[in-house]
Every structure is written in structure tokens, then in C-alpha cells.
Amino acid sequence: MEVRMNKMRSIFLGSAAFLVAATGAQAADMMMDVKAPREPVYRCDITGFIELPGTDICFKVGGFARLVVVGGQDNWAFVDEFYRPDFIIPDGHTLNDTLEMYGQGRVNFDARTSTEYGTVRAFIEIQATDNDTRTGGPASLRHAFVQFGNWTFGKTWSTFLHLDSSASTTDPYVLVGDNFMRRNQIRYTQSFGNGFSLSVAIEDQEYNNPGAILATGIYATPPAPNFVVNDRNSMPDVVANIRVDGDWGNAQLSGAIHNNEFREVAGNGLAPAPLAGNQTDSEIGWAALFGLVINTPSIGEGDFFSFKAIYTDGAHQYYQDSWAGGANVVWGLCNWVVPALGGCITDTVTTWSVMANFTHNWTPTFNTTIGGGYGQVSVPTTQLNFFAPLAGFATDQEVDTWDVYLDFAWTPVPRTTFQVDLVYGNIDLNGSGTFGGTFTPYFFNPLANDSDGAFSAAFQVTRSF
């Protein structure tokens, strides 16, 4: 009897366990049927970026607030918001000592997404500078571009530039031999390994409004009231660079081709000039750049030396901030004996420049940069004309500029930097275009005091975010 009871008890307990297990399995199946599979959560793994909730977009907001105080000796000109040595007035006849201060604010938005085509990115940056009024200056668009894998579409730094070798100074200065161009473009960049990359782009040819300077001599230029205007043409600038990066630093070789197209118009600016000959002409211009950065850890942690050289021929905008910076070509009569044949491009404006800088970090928060640059602009404006009484005194314009600077930068806390710049600049007109203490392209005066220099200094505080 007892044996049978034990056997019945075992059967009951086994059945109960089976029932519990079956019920649990069925409940688990029911839960799986009710709870749908969860989509993987996108994680933003780019340093400094955060995830936009509910999307696969990583974004970052940045910018800065800044105060600048800058002053120049009696003959250092402040032109187009920049202190440039090529606008120093010899002898300081027309300018006094000057001191100014302005505020500046910049905001940018960077949004990125990882896709099967690579990173897709949108970047916008806007800046405003105070203009001494209650409401400040208008905001300007610095960057607005889309990156789709290896492609870039929109406004950003020109493919020609090598920013790594640019001068480290406060905002007011444009130093000899440097260039900062942001242009609308379509660019393709391809990496090849071992630090090598190649970029090719087409960029807007109207940057900096390329112009023509008139040849000297009474009959060398179009008869009044005609003048020369730049024709926007159908050929964009073609720009490319090849770059290599390594632990030692980096180097870049850049080139650009620009098509100059000009036409002569009557006084109303619309109708063709009243000449029987050719009133339109074109000329291909080009530019080249070499930039180099060499790290020097043996001197100090984070120390580096940089060098940059630029040459342009009929593409002055690639040197840009210099004497006659808007002029690419010289326009004059195609034939001075027969003026009725019309005007044409008689020559191109050429430039060359070199600059070098060295940055030393004395402490993790304090560094100094010393550097300088030298550049020359050659404008062959003289045309042989025996019938022009002033032609014998005219000369091709050749202007030399140079500067040296010392920059101190202190960052006591992250993203807050105090900077002080000391700059000396010099210009030499080489006797061209100076007569009676004023500039005119019709005269050459070897006795003119046409070379002068001046000091300038700036203090800047920047808080970035």
C-alpha cells in the first residue's frame, strides 16, 4: 500500500513539474509574440558630438566671442577690416596714429551621419563683427557646405590653400604671403594610403572680382569715356592639390587655372565701346603654392616650423591681399599706331611671395610664434608709344612688401585665449607711380621717398565653445 502511494506521489509531482514547465514555455512564447524586436540604438562616437534624439544624426554647435584692440603707427593703414603692410603710406603724409576696438562673434553648426557611402555632413558658419553702432555689423556667411563621402559641395576653404602653414596671429592682420579664400565649389578628395591624398575641384571664377588695370601712356588706354569690365565667363577655376601627412608634419603642392575674360564698354557700362576693332579678349592665368609644416619635438612638445610659397601669373586672387590685389591683367590698345583697332589684354600681373613661421610652446598653456613674409607684385603697365609725351616717364609698377611679427598666446583655462601681436611692415614702390608725394601710374621718379614702414600692435581675447 505504501509503495503504491509513493508511486502515485511521484507520478503527481512529475506531472506537476511538466505542467509548470509547459506553462512557462507557453508564457514565454506568448511574451515573444507580444514584444516586437527592438531596433538597434544609434550611438554617436565622434568626440565632441552628441546624438540628436530620435535620429541617426550627430551634431555639434561651436563658435566664439571675441574682443580685439588694435593700433597702428602714423602710417599703417586700416583697409577693408585688415591691417596690411602694402597699404602703408610712405612718409605717413595722410594718416595719424590710430587705435580701435571691435567685437566679433561666430557660430557654427556641424551635423554628421554615417552611411554606406561614408560620412554625410552639413556645416554652416556665420560671423558678425561690430561696426561701432548700437546694433553691430551684419552677419556674414563664412561656410555653408555638404560633404557626401569624398565629395564636397558649397562654400568653404579653397582647395588651393594650405592653412597649416598660415600665420598664427590676431584677427586684424593679413600678413605678406598668406591667403584665406572661401569659395563656392565642387570638390572630390581621394586618399591613397601612407598619408597621401589628392583633391580636385571646380571653383567660382568670380572670387574677389578679378579686374584689369589700364596701361600707361596717353594712347595706351581706351579713349574716354570707355572702360574695361570683367566678363563672367562659362569656365570655372580648376584647382587641385596633392598632400602628404605623417608624424613628421605635412606638405602640400597646389595649382589653379583661371580664365580671364574682359570687354571694353562705353560710358553707360552696357553698350559696346565705339571702336571698330576687338573689344573683348581673354587670357589664361595660373597659380601655384607649396606649403610645408615640420614638427620639432626635439625643441619642445608641440613645436613646429612652417613655410609657404605662392606664385601667380594672371591669377592675382590666389595671392589676394596685396598691392593691386584685384588686377589680373593689363588692358591697353592692341595697336597704339591705329587706336581704332580697339583694346585687348597686353600682359598679365605676376606675383610671388614666401613666408615662414616658428611656434614654440614654453608651457602647456603659453606659446609664442615668430614669423615674417616677403612678396612682390609686378604690373607691366608701360607700352612703347613715341607719340605719348608722358610715356617716357611712365614705368612698370613693381611693388615689394615685407613684414615680421611676434605673437604671444596664453590659454589659462581651456577654450579661453589671450593674444598679443607686435608687427612691423614695410612697402617699397621702387620709384613707380610716385610724383609730388602722390601716386600716379604715369610717372617714374627715382628720387621719390617711396619706401616706408610702420609698427602695429593688437590685443585679443577669445572664448570659444
Side-chain angles (χ1 to χ4, degrees):
M1 184 71 172
E2 184 178 352
V3 172
R4 187 165 53 182
M5 289 292 293
N6 290 335
K7 193 178 290 187
M8 291 179 62
R9 187 181 299 111
S10 298
I11 293 172
F12 175 76
L13 292 174
S15 299
F18 174 78
L19 180 61
V20 171
T23 304
Q26 185 177 9
D29 289 341
M30 292 177 64
M31 289 292 292
M32 290 181 65
D33 291 340
V34 172
K35 188 175 181 181
R38 183 179 180 183
E39 293 291 334
V41 178
Y42 181 80
R43 298 297 180 191
C44 189
D45 57 359
I46 307 175
T47 303
F49 285 71
I50 61 176
E51 178 187 346
L52 188 64
T55 73
D56 60 353
I57 297 176
C58 290
F59 76 95
K60 178 182 179 181
V61 177
F64 64 66
R66 170 181 289 168
L67 172 69
V68 178
V69 181
V70 60
Q73 198 182 3
D74 60 353
N75 53 358
W76 191 301
F78 179 71
V79 181
D80 297 333
E81 299 183 3
F82 296 109
Y83 281 78
R84 292 167 41 185
D86 52 300
F87 276 91
I88 291 175
I89 308 299
D91 283 340
H93 292 309
T94 59
L95 296 173
N96 297 317
D97 293 343
T98 181
L99 176 70
E100 67 167 334
M101 55 197 327
Y102 60 89
Q104 202 171 67
R106 182 182 301 175
V107 176
N108 58 60
F109 183 84
D110 193 347
R112 307 185 187 187
T113 301
S114 297
T115 73
E116 58 183 308
Y117 299 99
T119 300
V120 176
R121 180 187 183 196
F123 184 87
I124 297 175
E125 185 171 75
I126 296 174
Q127 178 175 294
T129 300
D130 174 67
N131 63 350
D132 296 327
T133 66
R134 287 188 300 175
T135 56
S140 58
L141 182 66
R142 287 172 51 87
H143 297 271
F145 64 87
V146 174
Q147 284 184 325
F148 188 83
N150 294 349
W151 292 89
T152 301
F153 308 88
K155 181 181 181 181
T156 188
W157 298 112
S158 171
T159 311
F160 184 79
L161 300 183
H162 183 245
L163 296 175
D164 302 44
S165 58
S166 290
S168 174
T169 62
T170 51
D171 180 71
Y173 299 104
V174 173
L175 299 180
V176 176
D178 220 345
N179 193 348
F180 298 94
M181 303 170 62
R182 293 179 293 273
R183 296 210 289 190
N184 296 302
Q185 61 190 273
I186 300 175
R187 180 197 304 170
Y188 179 81
T189 301
Q190 180 64 56
S191 298
F192 296 99
N194 296 322
F196 283 89
S197 64
L198 173 68
S199 296
V200 180
I202 55 174
E203 301 184 0
D204 186 6
Q205 84 278 23
E206 275 291 289
Y207 176 82
N208 207 33
N209 300 314
I213 190 169
L214 296 179
T216 61
I218 291 181
Y219 298 110
T221 60
N226 302 337
F227 58 95
V228 182
V229 297
N230 179 28
D231 262 347
R232 177 181 281 274
N233 60 78
S234 58
M235 177 182 170
D237 283 11
V238 179
V239 189
N241 73 58
I242 185 168
R243 178 184 172 110
V244 59
D245 291 85
D247 295 336
W248 53 272
N250 65 76
Q252 180 175 309
L253 182 64
S254 303
I257 297 175
H258 171 81
N259 183 40
N260 293 291
E261 189 167 314
F262 292 90
R263 62 190 173 97
E264 204 170 290
V265 297
N268 59 15
L270 300 175
L275 294 174
N278 178 26
Q279 281 90 54
T280 64
D281 201 5
S282 63
E283 181 82 18
I284 295 295
W286 62 278
L289 174 150
F290 174 71
L292 174 69
V293 173
I294 299 178
N295 297 324
T296 57
S298 59
I299 301 177
E301 184 66 28
D303 290 10
F304 65 92
F305 167 82
S306 66
F307 173 82
K308 181 182 297 181
I310 301 175
Y311 181 85
T312 74
D313 185 347
H316 201 167
Q317 60 268 43
Y318 290 95
Y319 182 35
Q320 185 176 348
D321 295 306
S322 64
W323 182 267
N328 277 356
V329 299
V330 178
W331 184 276
L333 292 179
C334 297
N335 188 322
W336 55 265
V337 177
V338 187
L341 291 178
C344 58
I345 295 173
T346 61
D347 216 327
T348 56
V349 176
T350 60
T351 74
W352 63 267
S353 66
V354 292
M355 71 176 301
N357 312 279
F358 177 72
T359 297
H360 175 63
N361 292 272
W362 300 93
T363 72
T365 61
F366 180 74
N367 67 69
T368 57
T369 300
I370 185 171
Y374 193 101
Q376 183 181 96
V377 178
S378 297
V379 186
T381 53
T382 303
Q383 286 187 276
L384 182 61
N385 186 351
F386 296 107
F387 299 99
L390 298 180
F393 299 98
T395 181
D396 291 343
Q397 299 172 39
E398 188 173 277
V399 179
D400 295 300
T401 54
W402 59 270
D403 56 22
V404 291
Y405 74 95
L406 181 61
D407 174 82
F408 302 89
W410 178 48
T411 307
V413 296
R415 298 184 298 279
T416 302
T417 301
F418 296 81
Q419 277 183 270
V420 173
D421 276 344
L422 304 175
V423 186
Y424 178 82
N426 183 276
I427 185 171
D428 187 354
L429 299 176
N430 292 304
S432 62
T434 53
F435 183 79
T438 61
F439 176 80
T440 171
Y442 289 100
F443 288 95
F444 172 69
N445 182 6
L447 300 179
N449 187 356
D450 58 356
S451 177
D452 209 350
F455 286 97
S456 180
F459 170 70
Q460 176 175 289
V461 183
T462 304
R463 170 65 177 176
S464 60
F465 59 89

Short mmCIF file of all heavy atoms in Angstrom, two decimals, residues 157 162-180 292-293 304 306-308 354-359 367-373 403-407 419 421 423 460:
data_model
loop_
_atom_site.label_atom_id
_atom_site.label_comp_id
_atom_site.label_asym_id
_atom_site.label_seq_id
_atom_site.Cartn_x
_atom_site.Cartn_y
_atom_site.Cartn_z
N TRP A 157 36.77 76.59 -47.56
CA TRP A 157 38.13 76.96 -47.93
C TRP A 157 38.47 76.47 -49.33
O TRP A 157 38.13 75.34 -49.69
CB TRP A 157 39.14 76.37 -46.94
CG TRP A 157 38.98 76.85 -45.54
CD1 TRP A 157 38.58 76.13 -44.46
CD2 TRP A 157 39.24 78.18 -45.05
NE1 TRP A 157 38.57 76.91 -43.33
CE2 TRP A 157 38.96 78.18 -43.67
CE3 TRP A 157 39.66 79.36 -45.66
CZ2 TRP A 157 39.11 79.32 -42.88
CZ3 TRP A 157 39.81 80.49 -44.87
CH2 TRP A 157 39.53 80.47 -43.50
N HIS A 162 46.77 76.06 -48.14
CA HIS A 162 47.42 75.19 -47.16
C HIS A 162 47.39 75.94 -45.83
O HIS A 162 48.31 76.68 -45.48
CB HIS A 162 48.86 74.88 -47.58
CG HIS A 162 49.54 73.92 -46.65
ND1 HIS A 162 50.63 74.26 -45.88
CD2 HIS A 162 49.28 72.62 -46.37
CE1 HIS A 162 51.02 73.22 -45.17
NE2 HIS A 162 50.22 72.21 -45.44
N LEU A 163 46.29 75.76 -45.09
CA LEU A 163 46.06 76.54 -43.88
C LEU A 163 47.04 76.19 -42.78
O LEU A 163 47.31 77.01 -41.89
CB LEU A 163 44.63 76.33 -43.39
CG LEU A 163 43.52 76.83 -44.33
CD1 LEU A 163 42.15 76.47 -43.79
CD2 LEU A 163 43.62 78.34 -44.54
N ASP A 164 47.60 74.98 -42.81
CA ASP A 164 48.52 74.56 -41.76
C ASP A 164 49.74 75.47 -41.68
O ASP A 164 50.33 75.65 -40.60
CB ASP A 164 48.98 73.13 -42.00
CG ASP A 164 47.84 72.13 -42.06
OD1 ASP A 164 46.83 72.44 -42.69
OD2 ASP A 164 47.96 71.04 -41.47
N SER A 165 50.17 76.04 -42.81
CA SER A 165 51.35 76.90 -42.82
C SER A 165 51.00 78.38 -42.71
O SER A 165 51.87 79.23 -42.89
CB SER A 165 52.17 76.66 -44.09
OG SER A 165 51.39 76.91 -45.25
N SER A 166 49.73 78.70 -42.45
CA SER A 166 49.32 80.09 -42.31
C SER A 166 49.82 80.68 -41.00
O SER A 166 50.14 79.95 -40.04
CB SER A 166 47.80 80.21 -42.40
OG SER A 166 47.35 79.96 -43.70
N ALA A 167 49.87 82.00 -40.96
CA ALA A 167 50.38 82.69 -39.78
C ALA A 167 49.41 82.58 -38.61
O ALA A 167 48.19 82.63 -38.79
CB ALA A 167 50.63 84.16 -40.11
N SER A 168 49.95 82.44 -37.39
CA SER A 168 49.15 82.39 -36.18
C SER A 168 49.17 83.76 -35.54
O SER A 168 50.07 84.10 -34.77
CB SER A 168 49.70 81.33 -35.22
OG SER A 168 49.01 81.36 -33.99
N THR A 169 48.16 84.59 -35.88
CA THR A 169 48.12 85.95 -35.37
C THR A 169 46.70 86.29 -34.93
O THR A 169 45.77 85.50 -35.07
CB THR A 169 48.54 86.97 -36.45
OG1 THR A 169 47.62 86.90 -37.55
CG2 THR A 169 49.94 86.69 -36.96
N THR A 170 46.55 87.51 -34.43
CA THR A 170 45.23 88.01 -34.08
C THR A 170 44.46 88.36 -35.34
O THR A 170 45.00 88.41 -36.44
CB THR A 170 45.36 89.24 -33.17
OG1 THR A 170 46.25 90.17 -33.79
CG2 THR A 170 45.89 88.86 -31.80
N ASP A 171 43.18 88.65 -35.18
CA ASP A 171 42.26 88.82 -36.31
C ASP A 171 42.60 89.96 -37.27
O ASP A 171 42.41 89.82 -38.47
CB ASP A 171 40.84 89.00 -35.77
CG ASP A 171 39.83 89.19 -36.88
OD1 ASP A 171 39.54 88.22 -37.59
OD2 ASP A 171 39.34 90.33 -37.05
N PRO A 172 43.13 91.14 -36.81
CA PRO A 172 43.21 92.28 -37.74
C PRO A 172 44.19 92.12 -38.89
O PRO A 172 44.04 92.78 -39.91
CB PRO A 172 43.66 93.43 -36.82
CG PRO A 172 43.35 92.99 -35.44
CD PRO A 172 43.49 91.52 -35.45
N TYR A 173 45.19 91.25 -38.76
CA TYR A 173 46.29 91.28 -39.70
C TYR A 173 46.15 90.30 -40.86
O TYR A 173 45.71 89.15 -40.68
CB TYR A 173 47.62 90.99 -38.98
CG TYR A 173 47.94 92.00 -37.92
CD1 TYR A 173 47.76 91.69 -36.57
CD2 TYR A 173 48.38 93.27 -38.25
CE1 TYR A 173 48.04 92.62 -35.59
CE2 TYR A 173 48.65 94.21 -37.27
CZ TYR A 173 48.48 93.88 -35.94
OH TYR A 173 48.74 94.81 -34.97
N VAL A 174 46.52 90.77 -42.04
CA VAL A 174 46.77 89.90 -43.18
C VAL A 174 48.26 90.03 -43.48
O VAL A 174 48.72 91.09 -43.90
CB VAL A 174 45.93 90.30 -44.40
CG1 VAL A 174 46.36 89.48 -45.61
CG2 VAL A 174 44.46 90.06 -44.12
N LEU A 175 49.01 88.98 -43.25
CA LEU A 175 50.45 89.04 -43.38
C LEU A 175 50.89 88.70 -44.80
O LEU A 175 50.22 87.96 -45.52
CB LEU A 175 51.11 88.10 -42.38
CG LEU A 175 50.80 88.44 -40.91
CD1 LEU A 175 51.48 87.46 -39.99
CD2 LEU A 175 51.24 89.87 -40.58
N VAL A 176 52.02 89.24 -45.19
CA VAL A 176 52.54 89.03 -46.53
C VAL A 176 52.79 87.54 -46.77
O VAL A 176 53.42 86.87 -45.95
CB VAL A 176 53.85 89.82 -46.74
CG1 VAL A 176 54.44 89.54 -48.11
CG2 VAL A 176 53.59 91.31 -46.56
N GLY A 177 52.28 87.05 -47.90
CA GLY A 177 52.50 85.66 -48.26
C GLY A 177 51.42 84.70 -47.81
O GLY A 177 51.52 83.50 -48.07
N ASP A 178 50.39 85.21 -47.13
CA ASP A 178 49.30 84.34 -46.68
C ASP A 178 48.06 84.58 -47.53
O ASP A 178 47.96 85.59 -48.22
CB ASP A 178 48.98 84.59 -45.22
CG ASP A 178 48.69 83.31 -44.46
OD1 ASP A 178 48.46 82.28 -45.12
OD2 ASP A 178 48.70 83.33 -43.22
N ASN A 179 47.11 83.67 -47.46
CA ASN A 179 45.88 83.81 -48.22
C ASN A 179 44.77 83.03 -47.52
O ASN A 179 45.01 81.92 -47.02
CB ASN A 179 46.06 83.27 -49.65
CG ASN A 179 44.91 83.68 -50.56
OD1 ASN A 179 43.89 84.17 -50.12
ND2 ASN A 179 45.09 83.46 -51.84
N PHE A 180 43.58 83.61 -47.47
CA PHE A 180 42.41 82.96 -46.89
C PHE A 180 41.25 83.13 -47.85
O PHE A 180 40.65 84.20 -47.92
CB PHE A 180 42.09 83.57 -45.52
CG PHE A 180 43.19 83.39 -44.50
CD1 PHE A 180 44.14 84.39 -44.31
CD2 PHE A 180 43.28 82.24 -43.76
CE1 PHE A 180 45.16 84.23 -43.40
CE2 PHE A 180 44.30 82.06 -42.83
CZ PHE A 180 45.23 83.06 -42.65
N LEU A 292 54.48 73.72 -46.26
CA LEU A 292 55.22 72.71 -45.51
C LEU A 292 55.12 72.99 -44.02
O LEU A 292 55.24 74.14 -43.58
CB LEU A 292 56.69 72.72 -45.94
CG LEU A 292 57.66 71.83 -45.17
CD1 LEU A 292 57.36 70.35 -45.46
CD2 LEU A 292 59.10 72.16 -45.52
N VAL A 293 54.89 71.94 -43.23
CA VAL A 293 54.93 72.02 -41.78
C VAL A 293 55.82 70.89 -41.28
O VAL A 293 55.63 69.73 -41.65
CB VAL A 293 53.52 71.88 -41.16
CG1 VAL A 293 53.62 71.79 -39.64
CG2 VAL A 293 52.66 73.07 -41.53
N PHE A 304 56.61 73.57 -33.92
CA PHE A 304 56.67 73.28 -35.35
C PHE A 304 57.16 74.48 -36.13
O PHE A 304 57.06 75.63 -35.69
CB PHE A 304 55.29 72.85 -35.87
CG PHE A 304 54.23 73.91 -35.81
CD1 PHE A 304 53.99 74.77 -36.89
CD2 PHE A 304 53.45 74.07 -34.67
CE1 PHE A 304 53.02 75.74 -36.83
CE2 PHE A 304 52.47 75.04 -34.60
CZ PHE A 304 52.26 75.89 -35.68
N SER A 306 56.91 76.23 -40.11
CA SER A 306 56.08 76.21 -41.32
C SER A 306 56.66 77.14 -42.37
O SER A 306 57.33 78.13 -42.06
CB SER A 306 54.63 76.60 -41.01
OG SER A 306 54.56 77.95 -40.59
N PHE A 307 56.38 76.80 -43.63
CA PHE A 307 56.88 77.57 -44.78
C PHE A 307 55.82 77.53 -45.87
O PHE A 307 55.15 76.52 -46.08
CB PHE A 307 58.19 76.97 -45.30
CG PHE A 307 58.68 77.62 -46.57
CD1 PHE A 307 59.38 78.81 -46.54
CD2 PHE A 307 58.41 77.03 -47.80
CE1 PHE A 307 59.83 79.41 -47.71
CE2 PHE A 307 58.85 77.62 -48.98
CZ PHE A 307 59.56 78.81 -48.94
N LYS A 308 55.69 78.67 -46.58
CA LYS A 308 54.72 78.74 -47.68
C LYS A 308 55.27 79.63 -48.79
O LYS A 308 55.86 80.68 -48.52
CB LYS A 308 53.38 79.30 -47.19
CG LYS A 308 52.30 79.39 -48.25
CD LYS A 308 51.02 80.00 -47.69
CE LYS A 308 50.45 79.13 -46.60
NZ LYS A 308 49.19 79.69 -46.06
N VAL A 354 56.92 84.55 -50.20
CA VAL A 354 57.35 83.48 -49.29
C VAL A 354 57.06 83.95 -47.87
O VAL A 354 57.10 85.15 -47.57
CB VAL A 354 58.85 83.16 -49.45
CG1 VAL A 354 59.14 82.52 -50.80
CG2 VAL A 354 59.71 84.41 -49.25
N MET A 355 56.76 83.01 -47.01
CA MET A 355 56.58 83.32 -45.60
C MET A 355 57.00 82.11 -44.77
O MET A 355 56.94 80.97 -45.23
CB MET A 355 55.14 83.71 -45.28
CG MET A 355 54.12 82.60 -45.33
SD MET A 355 52.47 83.17 -44.82
CE MET A 355 52.81 83.77 -43.15
N ALA A 356 57.44 82.36 -43.53
CA ALA A 356 57.86 81.30 -42.64
C ALA A 356 57.48 81.66 -41.21
O ALA A 356 57.44 82.85 -40.84
CB ALA A 356 59.36 81.06 -42.75
N ASN A 357 57.20 80.65 -40.40
CA ASN A 357 56.80 80.84 -39.01
C ASN A 357 57.39 79.73 -38.15
O ASN A 357 57.57 78.60 -38.62
CB ASN A 357 55.28 80.81 -38.86
CG ASN A 357 54.56 81.66 -39.87
OD1 ASN A 357 54.45 82.86 -39.70
ND2 ASN A 357 54.08 81.05 -40.94
N PHE A 358 57.65 80.06 -36.89
CA PHE A 358 58.06 79.03 -35.92
C PHE A 358 57.30 79.25 -34.63
O PHE A 358 57.25 80.37 -34.09
CB PHE A 358 59.56 79.09 -35.65
CG PHE A 358 60.00 78.09 -34.61
CD1 PHE A 358 60.04 76.73 -34.90
CD2 PHE A 358 60.34 78.51 -33.33
CE1 PHE A 358 60.42 75.81 -33.94
CE2 PHE A 358 60.73 77.59 -32.36
CZ PHE A 358 60.77 76.24 -32.67
N THR A 359 56.67 78.18 -34.12
CA THR A 359 55.90 78.24 -32.89
C THR A 359 56.57 77.39 -31.82
O THR A 359 56.89 76.22 -32.06
CB THR A 359 54.46 77.74 -33.11
OG1 THR A 359 53.80 78.59 -34.05
CG2 THR A 359 53.68 77.72 -31.81
N ASN A 367 52.49 79.94 -25.49
CA ASN A 367 53.38 79.74 -26.62
C ASN A 367 53.63 81.07 -27.33
O ASN A 367 52.88 82.04 -27.17
CB ASN A 367 52.81 78.71 -27.60
CG ASN A 367 51.56 79.19 -28.31
OD1 ASN A 367 51.58 80.09 -29.14
ND2 ASN A 367 50.42 78.56 -27.97
N THR A 368 54.68 81.10 -28.12
CA THR A 368 54.99 82.25 -28.94
C THR A 368 55.22 81.79 -30.38
O THR A 368 55.68 80.68 -30.62
CB THR A 368 56.25 82.99 -28.45
OG1 THR A 368 57.36 82.08 -28.43
CG2 THR A 368 56.03 83.56 -27.07
N THR A 369 54.88 82.66 -31.31
CA THR A 369 55.14 82.43 -32.73
C THR A 369 55.87 83.62 -33.29
O THR A 369 55.47 84.77 -33.08
CB THR A 369 53.83 82.22 -33.51
OG1 THR A 369 53.13 81.09 -32.99
CG2 THR A 369 54.11 81.97 -34.99
N ILE A 370 56.96 83.35 -34.00
CA ILE A 370 57.71 84.40 -34.68
C ILE A 370 57.72 84.07 -36.16
O ILE A 370 57.84 82.90 -36.55
CB ILE A 370 59.14 84.52 -34.13
CG1 ILE A 370 59.84 85.72 -34.78
CG2 ILE A 370 59.93 83.23 -34.30
CD1 ILE A 370 61.18 86.06 -34.13
N GLY A 371 57.53 85.09 -37.00
CA GLY A 371 57.47 84.81 -38.42
C GLY A 371 57.57 86.08 -39.25
O GLY A 371 57.71 87.19 -38.73
N GLY A 372 57.49 85.89 -40.55
CA GLY A 372 57.55 87.01 -41.45
C GLY A 372 57.33 86.57 -42.88
O GLY A 372 57.30 85.37 -43.18
N GLY A 373 57.15 87.55 -43.76
CA GLY A 373 56.91 87.23 -45.16
C GLY A 373 57.44 88.32 -46.07
O GLY A 373 57.66 89.47 -45.64
N ASP A 403 57.05 91.92 -43.97
CA ASP A 403 56.69 92.15 -42.57
C ASP A 403 57.31 91.08 -41.69
O ASP A 403 57.69 90.00 -42.15
CB ASP A 403 55.18 92.22 -42.36
CG ASP A 403 54.44 90.99 -42.86
OD1 ASP A 403 55.06 89.91 -42.97
OD2 ASP A 403 53.23 91.08 -43.14
N VAL A 404 57.44 91.41 -40.41
CA VAL A 404 57.86 90.46 -39.37
C VAL A 404 56.89 90.63 -38.20
O VAL A 404 56.36 91.71 -37.98
CB VAL A 404 59.31 90.70 -38.92
CG1 VAL A 404 60.28 90.34 -40.02
CG2 VAL A 404 59.52 92.14 -38.46
N TYR A 405 56.68 89.55 -37.46
CA TYR A 405 55.73 89.64 -36.35
C TYR A 405 56.12 88.70 -35.23
O TYR A 405 56.85 87.71 -35.42
CB TYR A 405 54.31 89.32 -36.83
CG TYR A 405 54.05 87.86 -37.10
CD1 TYR A 405 53.49 87.03 -36.12
CD2 TYR A 405 54.36 87.29 -38.33
CE1 TYR A 405 53.25 85.69 -36.36
CE2 TYR A 405 54.11 85.95 -38.58
CZ TYR A 405 53.57 85.15 -37.59
OH TYR A 405 53.34 83.82 -37.82
N LEU A 406 55.62 89.02 -34.04
CA LEU A 406 55.80 88.19 -32.85
C LEU A 406 54.45 88.08 -32.16
O LEU A 406 53.82 89.09 -31.85
CB LEU A 406 56.83 88.81 -31.91
CG LEU A 406 57.14 88.05 -30.61
CD1 LEU A 406 57.72 86.67 -30.93
CD2 LEU A 406 58.11 88.84 -29.74
N ASP A 407 54.00 86.84 -31.96
CA ASP A 407 52.68 86.58 -31.38
C ASP A 407 52.84 85.84 -30.05
O ASP A 407 53.59 84.85 -29.96
CB ASP A 407 51.85 85.74 -32.35
CG ASP A 407 50.51 85.32 -31.74
OD1 ASP A 407 49.58 86.13 -31.77
OD2 ASP A 407 50.41 84.17 -31.23
N GLN A 419 45.77 86.89 -26.59
CA GLN A 419 46.83 87.02 -27.56
C GLN A 419 47.31 88.47 -27.67
O GLN A 419 46.51 89.40 -27.57
CB GLN A 419 46.37 86.58 -28.96
CG GLN A 419 46.42 85.08 -29.19
CD GLN A 419 46.02 84.72 -30.61
OE1 GLN A 419 44.83 84.50 -30.86
NE2 GLN A 419 46.97 84.65 -31.51
N ASP A 421 49.97 90.70 -30.35
CA ASP A 421 50.77 90.71 -31.57
C ASP A 421 51.58 91.99 -31.67
O ASP A 421 51.05 93.09 -31.40
CB ASP A 421 49.88 90.63 -32.83
CG ASP A 421 49.51 89.20 -33.17
OD1 ASP A 421 50.16 88.29 -32.65
OD2 ASP A 421 48.57 89.02 -33.95
N VAL A 423 53.81 93.78 -34.74
CA VAL A 423 54.04 93.61 -36.18
C VAL A 423 54.74 94.84 -36.74
O VAL A 423 54.38 95.98 -36.41
CB VAL A 423 52.71 93.40 -36.93
CG1 VAL A 423 52.98 93.08 -38.39
CG2 VAL A 423 51.89 92.28 -36.30
N GLN A 460 43.97 90.64 -28.15
CA GLN A 460 42.74 89.90 -28.49
C GLN A 460 42.42 88.89 -27.39
O GLN A 460 43.30 88.19 -26.91
CB GLN A 460 42.95 89.19 -29.83
CG GLN A 460 41.78 88.30 -30.27
CD GLN A 460 42.03 87.73 -31.66
OE1 GLN A 460 41.99 88.45 -32.64
NE2 GLN A 460 42.28 86.43 -31.73
#
